[in-house]
Amino acid sequence: MRSNHLLVVAALLLSAGCTATKKNESKEPTIATLGTKPVSIEEFRYVYEKNNSGNEDAYTRQSVSEYLNLYTNFKLKVLEAEGKGLDTTTAFRRELEGYKEQLAQPYLTEKSVTDKLVKEAYERMQQEVNASHILISLAPDAAPEDTLAAYNRTMDLRRSALAGEDFGKLAQQNSQDPSAADNKGDLGYFTALQMVYPFEDAAFRTAVGDISMPVRTRFGYHLIKVNDKRQAKGEVRVAHIMVRATPGIPKADSLAAKQRVDAIYKRVQRKENWEKLAEEFSEDANSANNSGELPWFGTGRMIPSFEDAAFNLQNTGDVAQPVLTPYGWHIIKLLEKRGLPAYEDMEQNLRNRIAKDSRSELNKTAFMKRIKAENSFTENAEAKATAMSKASNELLQANWTYDEADKDLEQTLFTIQGKPYTIGDFWKYAKETQQPRATSSAAHAMNLLYEAYVDKSLVEYEKANLEKKHPDYRMLVQEYHDGILLFQMMDEKVWSKAVEDSVGLKAYFAQNREKYTWGPRVQAIIISAANKELLQKAQEQLSERRYPVSFAKLTDILFEQNKPTLTQEGTAKLNELAELLKSNESLTVDINGHTDAREASASKTLAAERADKSKAYLIAQGVPSDQLSTNTLGATNQAGPDNSETGRRRNRRVSFVLYTTERSALADNLNAQSNNPLGVQISEKKFQKGDNKALDMVAWEKGTYNVQQNGREYLIIIEEVLEPGYKELDEVRGLAISDYQNYLEQQWVDQLRQKYPVTVRQEEVDKLIKQ
């Protein structure tokens, strides 16, 4: 339970409907009083409607009264936990704060902006843009003068392009994107969520053939020329076989790679097995063992030449001629194509991606603007100027500090809902969070810290007041508050106690034995077979009770010539066998002694000594002797395929055959022989009525019966008919513990109702009932 704390709390909240408000104001009408603590009608109505509004009988007298009783029991447990001070511990507060942080996130965003961005992204994903760009690099926190210089340079390049200069050459000569030297700024086709948002937005808003105004991203300023727009191609799934040939390799190696891929392609064309070719020849280690298969991808996710070849394939199974990329040669096989899924199917995924995307900055900006207005943010310009004036170059090296006796520390820098934030508060924040800055000015660095401090202060104030602004958030926090306390109390009073209190459990079981009884039962063997032939084979072998097993591979123990002495390796293998036999009493093993015909004492005596030596060692390790039997197989002159000494030595050994008395092994053997995993199934146990439909078809008397059920053949052997009787605790421990928990909980609730008398105001209950 403890390992799934959050899940358990959530389940408790759902089953109990435990939503609550903070301490009720005395003016609020109450529906019940627990001791001296009131439960408001507003609180209960919220809880009840949240958990019952969809039920047909939601507002009947019975439904409301039953739910009020459940809710009262829940609140009594929480009240007891609070009385014990469990809500004041460090562990409780830490856990609740963690939940509050999670619950607060939806309230610290601008939902309308997110909704708009999600829909916009989906619409854009139906289109693909081909664009080129020129980048003038600029740090995100660059000083204003550096920002202006970069902007002006970008504008100069735009004017040159508009005057007719080749955009590709301008990119090659001026762009600070390293790839521009080779691709002349060409980015190929892309769609939504593949570029940073400001770049994507400008590209989608710019007409084909036009050049955008300078676009600022975290990389710097971009000029974007839109070359083409087309309908999205969707996604494709392919497999490939790759032969490495990276740029710059020697000409001879490049030629060899081309010859190699052409040879593989010819074998593909001859319809040789693709999976085997990929596994044997592909040099993409990540996909070769998976038939060369790659994950789904869309436009802009792969090297353009690879992407074009993949999307140009039309039919499943089509294979493209070898295509060259910077990684090498690829033979590409089409596995599947699909279009853009419906909006409903993609919405949640898009929301998750947008939360991590640069679009989230738009949401943050809108959110900050709103809470500034809602919380009456007011800035003191004079105090801000004073605070900014203390910026110095030490700030750029993260060594800035201030005089803690400065007379300006107490000046109010800004207020949030009238709460003052002083210059001293800001300077303390600046000192603690300053970082070295290579390209900036002291004034700009101080201003960035100020903006970050304002944002942080606004968000913290908003979080601290969410419960006042949003009743539903307040209710959720109280749910988790009460749920954590409920979990702790239930664990102490009910769950752990029922498991650990073995004396109490036994006493409860003894007092309630009538609840735990067997009806009529039979001890029976039921064999189900796919056909009569398999059933007959199973029946013939049923009485043997010694069936070979295959789940453990027992390797032979090798001996030196003319010696029965165990080697270190042989001892280790016998130790493994001993552990296996001791862990499963149903297992037995035949120990077979062998000799090599060339051994001086090549006789059954040496073979027997080896088998006996192995048996004695196993017995010494604690294996019962009745699980062991020995056989002497004597000499053999077989030397092995290479006629080597190693081959002959394999005959100087002890071999093993493992058996079990469990009839499931009989079924496994027959199923393996028939190549049908469901050919035979065997059940052997005590059955009650209803446990097995085939068994219910025959008279419950000792004997053997044949029946047919659902196209299968059944052999039923009833060995004993058992009279009704009491169950033992070990037979129903899980059920008994569950019942004991319910008993303990009811006892506890009765005690709580005595400690905190419950008074219900029936007139308030009646107001919830709808005739």
Side-chain angles (χ1 to χ4, degrees), residues 114 192 755:
T114 300
K755 184 175 182 179

Side-chain angles (χ1 to χ4, degrees), residues 93-147:
R93 289 176 177 174
R94 185 185 301 116
E95 185 169 5
L96 182 60
E97 284 303 314
Y99 290 142
K100 286 177 69 175
E101 188 69 27
Q102 296 175 40
L103 296 170
Q105 294 312 307
Y107 298 90
L108 301 176
T109 187
E110 208 63 26
K111 185 176 182 301
S112 61
V113 175
T114 300
D115 292 344
K116 180 181 177 183
L117 289 171
V118 170
K119 291 175 181 176
E120 178 189 72
Y122 182 77
E123 291 300 320
R124 286 182 176 176
M125 290 181 80
Q126 299 177 58
Q127 189 178 47
E128 296 169 357
V129 176
N130 182 292
S132 302
H133 84 133
I134 297 171
L135 170 66
I136 302 302
S137 297
L138 186 69
D141 59 351
E145 57 271 23
D146 296 330
T147 302

Side-chain angles (χ1 to χ4, degrees), residues 240-301:
H240 79 137
I241 298 172
M242 185 180 83
V243 175
R244 291 197 178 278
T246 54
I249 63 173
K251 186 174 181 180
D253 292 342
S254 178
L255 180 61
K258 181 65 168 67
Q259 292 172 341
R260 182 175 170 84
V261 78
D262 286 342
I264 299 169
Y265 181 61
K266 287 180 181 178
R267 295 178 67 171
V268 173
Q269 288 181 304
R270 292 199 297 265
K271 305 298 183 185
E272 291 190 30
N273 185 281
W274 172 275
E275 289 75 16
K276 291 182 179 178
L277 291 174
E279 183 176 355
E280 183 175 357
F281 297 114
S282 182
E283 295 176 8
D284 176 6
N286 293 322
S287 68
N289 292 329
N290 188 34
S291 305
E293 292 187 17
L294 299 174
W296 284 97
F297 63 89
T299 298
R301 300 285 181 85

Side-chain angles (χ1 to χ4, degrees), residues 646-673:
T646 299
R648 291 187 178 280
R649 188 177 171 222
R650 292 193 188 101
N651 298 316
R652 307 166 197 159
R653 71 189 193 280
V654 166
S655 63
F656 305 92
V657 182
L658 193 64
Y659 298 89
T660 181
T661 58
E662 294 180 359
R663 291 193 167 105
S664 59
L666 170 59
D668 292 341
N669 294 336
L670 291 173
N671 292 340
Q673 294 168 17

Side-chain angles (χ1 to χ4, degrees), residues 209-259:
D210 286 353
I211 298 173
S212 72
M213 289 292 288
V215 178
R216 178 74 185 270
T217 72
R218 67 174 183 268
F219 303 106
Y221 278 110
H222 307 257
L223 281 183
I224 304 171
K225 181 182 179 183
V226 176
N227 304 314
D228 186 31
K229 292 184 180 182
R230 70 185 184 192
Q231 185 176 353
K233 291 185 174 182
E235 292 185 316
V236 67
R237 188 167 67 89
V238 302
H240 79 137
I241 298 172
M242 185 180 83
V243 175
R244 291 197 178 278
T246 54
I249 63 173
K251 186 174 181 180
D253 292 342
S254 178
L255 180 61
K258 181 65 168 67
Q259 292 172 341

Side-chain angles (χ1 to χ4, degrees), residues 574-590:
L574 285 175
N575 285 335
E576 292 179 9
L577 177 57
E579 292 303 316
L580 177 64
L581 293 170
K582 287 190 292 183
S583 67
N584 190 338
E585 295 179 357
S586 73
L587 296 176
T588 59
V589 65
D590 281 356

